Amino acid sequence: MKLYSDNFNDGDKMPQSQVFNGMGYQGDNLSPHLAWQEVPAGTKSFVITCFDPDAPTGSGWWHWGVANLPADCRELPQGAGSGTAPLPAGCVQTRTDFGSSGYGGAAPPKGESHRYIFTLYALDVEHIEVNEQSSGALLGFNVHFHTLASASLTVKYN
């Protein structure tokens, strides 16, 4: 699979539009545009996550999780995870480490450079059992058992 964005390329610095608005930051907190192609045969749904492995927690930081994207979906507009653009019917955004569901942008401790990994998973099931209170770890656990393929984009912010 191939994952791409109109907002950034792999390895770029995260634009201000995707930075958190809070914790000392004044970003727009908009989820990025994401699109994908070359989907494997047998795909029945997709999951998108955004994870910061560099957060000083011992377990990283979940910034976004969207489950149960339909198999015919190939794109999310900027802001779909932030409530300013629509998500496909039946999707669920899981709880981030900010404590609520929906996209939460970059907000590393001042002076630190962090990576933000956006990953698309093609799954062999139409739905996984998660809800708006499910953690990123629970989402990842369910995805693990049903992944056909994945693709990622990594951006940095400091």
Side-chain angles (χ1 to χ4, degrees):
M1 283 193 311
K2 181 180 178 187
L3 178 64
Y4 58 96
S5 175
D6 289 346
N7 298 109
F8 47 73
N9 293 311
D10 191 54
D12 283 354
K13 180 178 179 179
M14 183 178 280
Q16 196 65 21
S17 57
Q18 277 71 61
V19 172
F20 193 67
N21 188 11
M23 297 177 70
Y25 289 91
Q26 295 179 351
D28 296 331
N29 203 45
L30 291 173
S31 62
H33 162 268
L34 293 172
W36 50 96
Q37 57 192 26
E38 301 173 24
V39 173
T43 298
K44 295 183 179 175
S45 70
F46 298 98
V47 165
I48 292 174
T49 62
C50 179
F51 181 71
D52 170 5
D54 303 315
T57 64
S59 59
W61 190 276
W62 291 99
H63 284 263
W64 194 26
V66 184
N68 304 330
L69 289 157
D72 62 353
C73 183
R74 294 294 182 274
E75 181 173 32
L76 291 181
Q78 178 175 277
S82 310
T84 62
L87 279 170
C91 293
V92 61
Q93 294 189 87
T94 57
R95 180 175 43 85
T96 69
D97 285 332
F98 290 107
S100 59
S101 64
Y103 178 78
K110 294 294 183 187
E112 294 185 14
S113 180
H114 286 215
R115 295 168 290 157
Y116 299 87
I117 305 168
F118 292 86
T119 304
L120 170 74
Y121 300 90
L123 304 184
D124 64 1
V125 293
E126 289 182 14
H127 292 81
I128 55 174
E129 295 298 321
V130 293
N131 61 45
E132 291 182 352
Q133 293 305 312
S134 297
S135 67
L138 182 62
L139 176 60
F141 180 82
N142 282 283
V143 166
H144 174 79
F145 295 102
H146 296 287
T147 300
L148 296 171
S150 66
S152 296
L153 285 171
T154 301
V155 292
K156 300 172 187 166
Y157 193 78
N158 58 331

